[in-house]
Amino acid sequence: MANPPIAFLGTGAYVPSRILGNNEIAQRVETSDEWIVTRTGIRERRIAGPTETVSDMATAAARAALEDAQISADQIDLIILATLTPELTMPATACLVQKKLGVSERAACFDLNAACTGFLYALDTAWALLASGRYRHALVIGAEKLSSVLDWTDRSTCVLFGDAAGAAILGPARTNTQGILGTRLHTVPGAAELLYIPGPEVSPNPLDLRRLLRMKGREVFKFAVRAMEDVARELLEQHQIEAHQIDRVIPHQANLRIIDAIAHYLKLPLDRFYINLDRYGNTSAASIPLALHEARQQGKIRPGDLTLLVAFGAGLTYGGALVRW
Ligand code: UT7
């Protein structure tokens, strides 16, 4: 008998309790709630507490996903954690999560960095490893403490990002509709200078402003619209699916104007897209699993639904996935 397809068995998310609204940022840098809302759609974001770590947030999201999937930690034999803000340079944050969850030594645990496309890169990797038959249940996490890499004096970036974690359990499908149908990942070469965080070669002091996130926003915006539309079309064509057959799109939550443009080009109504960036801003690798979990909780993704996940980020990376629930 053929192996069952690999499917999402559960999802979970965690956001810190501290809410940072636009007006509070406007007291620190020259900006306004009106500018941020009209240019981005973001109203507030969550900020991790000083002692709250990436592995704490990732573990909380993972616990929720395990409960949702009704799977125990000792059934997990693969943890892939996507992040651009790892807790330590080494070991991988996935190893810290393994310990906190009580996942056994049999598990392979590693981090992966594809910036805001990280969750889709981790999903694709986990899917391939599970489909090979060498692993049975994967915990795939996107977790970020972006507040620690932002220059809070740079109004063009500090208003955009927030902290959060999202997680998913992947394993053999339990129903005959479920399954990951396809994924596509790409990277534009030579575009690193559009969005980056320098390393210690720039300055040995991690608090030096030159060590923080830098972005050419307008260029990234144009790329984002082109890339997400391209990869969505590529996936649809490959699977002979018409855009209108997609029940829900889960886009990377970076800017409402970017999502609006994709909806326009794909000729889909905006209400087909799940949007929560107004409450969380851009949480990079956590953005898609956080949105997925909320959409499921709100009944906006139901069993049998077809979803398109689509993201872009530093690299420049981009990618998409088609998932049946
Ligand atoms: O996951 C990937 C992460 N990256 C992204 O998603 C970024 C994609 N890019 C964007 O979302 C948009 O480009 C931004 C929201 C970053 C900026 O919006 P924009 O409409 O492209 O504005 P702009 O960069 O062209 O700047 C327009 C003006 C500038 O002033 P001048 O030169 O016209 O006088 C900026 O200095 O807006 C100014 N500005 C601000 N003003 C008030 C930039 N940031 C702010 C701010 N408040 N926070």
Side-chain angles (χ1 to χ4, degrees), residues 65-180:
L66 285 169
E67 198 183 319
D68 186 40
Q70 299 197 310
I71 284 215
S72 63
D74 62 10
Q75 289 175 273
I76 297 294
D77 52 4
L78 175 65
I79 302 179
I80 307 180
L81 188 148
T83 188
L84 66 90
T85 50
E87 190 159 324
L88 306 169
T89 301
M90 74 172 187
T93 308
C95 305
L96 309 180
V97 174
Q98 174 197 26
K99 166 78 176 96
K100 287 181 182 178
L101 283 177
V103 169
S104 87
E105 186 176 332
R106 285 182 305 109
C109 303
F110 62 95
D111 288 2
L112 169 160
N113 179 353
C116 302
T117 323
F119 184 78
L120 295 185
Y121 271 68
L123 173 67
D124 184 65
T125 308
W127 181 30
L129 290 173
L130 294 174
S132 76
R134 300 203 298 282
Y135 301 87
R136 188 155 175 88
H137 289 117
L139 167 59
V140 181
I141 306 172
E144 303 283 10
K145 190 172 175 177
L146 296 169
S147 57
S148 65
V149 294
L150 294 178
D151 175 353
W152 289 98
T153 66
D154 176 10
R155 68 176 183 177
S156 70
T157 53
C158 76
V159 301
L160 301 175
F161 300 95
D163 301 333
I169 309 294
L170 303 184
R174 291 169 176 167
T175 71
N176 54 15
T177 56
Q178 279 189 320
I180 303 167

Side-chain angles (χ1 to χ4, degrees), residues 221 224-230 232-233 236 242-244 246 248-252 255-275 308 310 312:
F221 188 105
V225 175
R226 193 272 294 164
M228 294 213 286
E229 187 200 352
D230 280 1
R233 288 198 188 285
L236 293 174
E242 299 288 331
H244 68 83
I246 296 168
R248 189 71 56 199
V249 183
I250 306 289
H252 172 45
N255 188 318
L256 186 57
R257 289 189 293 139
I258 294 176
I259 297 174
D260 240 334
I262 310 291
H264 171 78
Y265 289 126
L266 292 180
K267 297 192 172 58
L268 283 174
L270 193 59
D271 64 9
R272 204 70 72 83
F273 290 66
Y274 185 78
I275 296 166
L308 169 68
V310 63
F312 69 95

